[in-house]
Amino acid sequence: MIYILQKAVSRPSEESDSMEESKADASELLPKENPGPLPLSVRRAKQLISLFTMVQNPNMTHLKLGEVVVLPPLWIRCDGSDPEHTYWLGAEPLKAGNKIVGINLYMVTCDGPTAYKTCFANLEELKMQHKIMHHSSVVTTKGFAQYELLRAAAIEDTIVEPESSIYVDITWNTVDKILETPPLISAATLNIALEPGDPRSPVYQLYRELQFLLALAEGLKTGVTKWPEPLEPESAVELVQEFVADLKKKLDGSWVSGNRNGMEKIRCDTEAVDSSIKSIFSERGDLDFAEQLWCKMKCVSSYQELIECFTLILESLEHGEIQPWIHHGSSSLLSKLIQQSYHGKMEAVSLTGITPIQMLLEIGLDKMKKDYVNFFIGQELATLTSLDYFISTSVDLQEQVHRVQKLHHMLEIMVSCTVLLQFKHESLFPWTQICIKYYRENPLDEKHVFQLPVSSALVKKFYQDSHPEVWKVDISSGHGPKEVKTTWQVSTNPPVEHMMSNNTELK
């Protein structure tokens, strides 16, 4: 815990409020902007820091403060009005056991914005200032740089998600000059946050399929289902009628391969994926009857249409007009009815209430689970055992849907790393394990920033000719509790929120 001290936002008096209300001004209709955190003057902040250190000093017995209680660190927002442009002052009590043994004082100064590197300090000057201030003869330096990879790698018609970000943080020892490019021996970490749903994503069609699955799950919970707008030229009922007709022809031997311009080819969303990803997210060739039916019915646009589709299927099964095959181990209600139809006897199912919605949700879940498993195992990024948590049927349907969402989020990340950043299997495999471990232990969080270790050599092509978003050098001396540090940093955004900036690019 820390204390942050800032100026209180004053509220207008009731009198001024009544005067303002009497003025019929159109500007009053506009929303008031939040002024944000307000800083104190540097002079006042220094006074408060002095008081804080005084009451934390156990040697100030003449103040008769009694037993000193160790307070959390104090940070004060400053307005930068002094010659050094100070924007933060901080004080942190140091303790040994329950006793205070000293106080660390911090001062954060900031200048800018500037577009010219010539305005920056010289590294040797910074090191000399540190030595003089802290009376040290030997200093060490450590560099840090952050680059935005999503913008650097973005090309037309690829994944550029507005709510997503991919950064790489790079650290290295021994800095030779300000704004130097990190050496290849640096340690690097990929920070990736990808929110699904961008229409330009190679797996966007699968995302849409998942959204319909979520709508069905929400309908089970609330009793109100949000049906998608019809996008196909044929309705779901027409597609199912054609599907059943083809199955009947197969059963009586009159079906001919290649009829209806290849209608035997399953209309599955994975057909629509971008050509750049077909090699890694290929269409499954083992779709059973229930999965093929899902591909026809995922465009269903009303509850009545849903009932008509299932009525047609159940009547065909009951009369023995079709004898479809299904994957072993499927636990959906439709799969059980199909198995019963093999023996000429099916239990009666009332297509009322939530039953049809649940039936469609079950076959959609089965199909999408196999899609994701097919990708991760096919790309040798995971084993069936490691994915068991995500495809388990031992939990209720709502939790199963939640876990499928996790699978999709992991898929989006791995596809982005493969297609956009062109990383290879040796990087993707350990990253997949990190994502699997996180989602086995945490709920779905599409804003979560996954931190994935990466060789700086692998990402050099993205940053070697780019300006960093953040670049800093730490100059240190001393060891342990006696270590002191001076940090110099440049960034494209204001380092403190109470400082304005125009995000000027370096020149």
Side-chain angles (χ1 to χ4, degrees):
M1 183 177 74
I2 64 171
Y3 291 140
I4 294 181
L5 195 59
Q6 61 192 37
K7 185 183 293 185
V9 179
S10 58
R11 294 183 178 181
S13 64
E14 293 182 4
E15 182 178 350
S16 62
D17 284 346
S18 61
M19 292 176 63
E20 289 295 322
E21 288 174 3
S22 65
K23 299 177 181 179
D25 195 304
S27 64
E28 292 298 308
L29 300 176
L30 300 175
K32 297 284 195 304
E33 288 189 7
N34 188 337
L38 299 179
L40 280 69
S41 68
V42 177
R43 180 173 174 274
R44 180 57 175 158
K46 288 181 176 180
Q47 291 175 345
L48 295 171
I49 286 290
S50 296
L51 290 173
F52 180 86
T53 56
M54 188 181 300
V55 299
Q56 291 288 277
N57 190 340
N59 298 319
M60 304 292 286
T61 55
H62 62 283
L63 295 178
K64 299 180 181 180
L65 297 174
E67 185 177 354
V68 177
V69 177
V70 182
L71 296 175
L74 172 68
W75 284 89
I76 304 177
R77 297 184 193 273
C78 305
D79 60 6
S81 57
D82 60 325
E84 291 80 18
H85 304 298
T86 303
Y87 282 91
W88 281 106
L89 286 177
E92 179 183 16
L94 301 176
K95 60 182 181 178
N98 294 324
K99 293 185 178 181
I100 297 178
V101 295
I103 291 183
N104 271 345
L105 297 176
Y106 303 93
M107 180 172 69
V108 179
T109 62
C110 189
D111 203 359
T114 181
Y116 299 98
K117 299 177 185 178
T118 53
C119 299
F120 295 158
N122 179 278
L123 180 59
E124 293 304 317
E125 292 175 357
L126 291 173
K127 290 160 72 173
M128 184 58 65
Q129 290 175 10
H130 179 94
K131 289 178 180 180
I132 294 172
M133 180 178 294
H134 299 293
H135 310 288
S136 54
S137 58
V138 179
V139 298
T140 60
T141 55
K142 185 173 184 178
F144 170 88
Q146 183 181 82
Y147 295 87
E148 183 183 3
L149 299 193
L150 191 63
R151 183 174 59 188
I155 56 176
E156 187 178 359
D157 296 327
T158 58
I159 315 169
V160 188
E161 300 175 359
E163 300 300 325
S164 302
S165 64
I166 304 178
Y167 289 88
V168 63
D169 291 345
I170 307 175
T171 59
W172 69 99
N173 294 319
T174 310
V175 179
D176 295 323
K177 63 178 182 178
I178 295 296
L179 281 179
E180 73 177 11
T181 301
L184 293 180
I185 58 173
S186 306
T189 301
L190 195 68
N191 301 294
I192 181 167
L194 285 178
E195 289 193 54
D198 191 284
R200 290 164 291 189
S201 167
V203 290
Y204 178 67
Q205 297 301 326
L206 195 64
Y207 169 80
R208 285 183 52 200
E209 195 171 338
L210 176 62
Q211 292 307 110
F212 181 49
L213 200 73
L214 294 175
L216 294 174
E218 187 67 18
L220 282 186
K221 280 198 305 184
T222 65
V224 178
T225 304
K226 185 177 180 180
W227 302 101
E229 293 292 328
L231 297 177
E232 298 287 340
E234 296 177 281
S235 68
V237 174
E238 290 173 325
L239 292 173
V240 171
Q241 286 173 339
E242 294 169 358
F243 183 42
V244 171
D246 285 342
L247 291 175
K248 289 180 180 179
K249 291 176 182 178
K250 287 182 181 180
L251 190 61
D252 62 22
S254 61
W255 182 82
V256 180
S257 177
N259 67 332
R260 278 191 47 79
N261 297 321
M263 275 299 295
E264 76 280 1
K265 181 176 176 62
I266 302 304
R267 286 190 186 179
C268 188
D269 276 341
T270 49
E271 288 181 5
V273 299
D274 187 85
S275 59
S276 63
I277 198 175
K278 281 185 178 179
S279 60
I280 62 170
F281 199 87
S282 57
E283 177 189 347
R284 285 170 48 219
D286 64 340
L287 299 184
D288 69 4
F289 169 80
E291 292 172 311
Q292 295 179 43
L293 182 62
W294 164 260
C295 291
K296 309 295 183 184
M297 292 183 61
K298 65 181 184 297
C299 63
V300 66
S301 58
S302 69
Y303 181 74
Q304 183 59 39
E305 196 174 30
L306 176 66
I307 294 176
E308 289 181 30
C309 290
F310 275 128
T311 299
L312 179 62
I313 294 297
L314 295 184
E315 287 180 352
S316 299
L317 287 172
E318 190 173 6
H319 298 152
E321 296 173 342
I322 57 175
Q323 292 183 351
W325 72 275
I326 54 173
H327 287 302
H328 176 72
S330 177
S331 59
S332 68
L333 174 57
L334 181 61
S335 296
K336 292 178 181 177
L337 294 174
I338 292 172
Q339 290 174 338
Q340 292 172 4
S341 72
Y342 296 159
H343 307 287
K345 188 176 182 180
M346 287 171 49
E347 65 179 89
V349 174
S350 176
L351 295 176
T352 57
I354 63 172
T355 299
I357 297 175
Q358 181 166 330
M359 288 175 65
L360 187 58
L361 175 61
E362 288 175 346
I363 63 175
L365 262 175
D366 280 352
K367 188 261 182 186
M368 296 200 72
K369 285 178 183 178
K370 290 184 176 66
D371 286 342
Y372 294 118
V373 168
N374 182 66
F375 169 80
F376 286 108
I377 293 182
Q379 295 301 308
E380 299 182 349
L381 298 177
T383 64
L384 189 59
T385 301
S386 65
L387 296 174
D388 181 65
Y389 162 84
F390 301 97
I391 60 176
S392 173
T393 57
S394 62
V395 294
D396 62 38
L397 283 176
Q398 298 295 336
E399 177 61 22
Q400 290 183 51
V401 172
H402 185 71
R403 295 182 184 185
V404 165
Q405 283 183 275
K406 294 179 178 182
L407 282 173
H408 185 85
H409 192 204
M410 292 192 295
L411 171 71
E412 293 262 10
I413 291 172
M414 292 307 122
V415 166
S416 297
C417 290
T418 303
V419 176
L420 188 63
L421 301 178
Q422 300 177 345
F423 289 125
K424 304 301 181 182
H425 180 268
E426 56 266 24
S427 299
L428 299 176
F429 178 79
W431 295 348
T432 304
Q433 307 315 303
I434 291 174
C435 293
I436 286 175
K437 183 178 186 300
Y438 175 81
Y439 268 143
R440 287 178 70 97
E441 300 171 355
N442 297 280
L444 176 71
D445 181 6
E446 294 178 344
K447 296 182 182 294
H448 178 72
V449 179
F450 286 94
Q451 295 187 313
L452 312 173
V454 62
S455 165
S456 58
L458 287 178
V459 292
K460 182 184 178 182
K461 63 181 180 181
F462 296 121
Y463 72 77
Q464 59 184 352
D465 297 322
S466 302
H467 293 305
E469 300 294 308
V470 177
W471 191 99
K472 73 176 180 179
V473 58
D474 290 331
I475 304 169
S476 306
S477 60
H479 300 282
K482 294 185 178 181
E483 182 185 25
V484 287
K485 182 186 297 183
T486 297
T487 298
W488 186 91
Q489 173 179 304
V490 60
S491 63
T492 57
N493 291 304
V496 291
E497 55 187 331
H498 53 279
M499 177 186 181
M500 299 302 292
S501 173
N502 61 1
N503 201 346
T504 305
E505 188 168 318
L506 292 176
K507 297 178 183 177

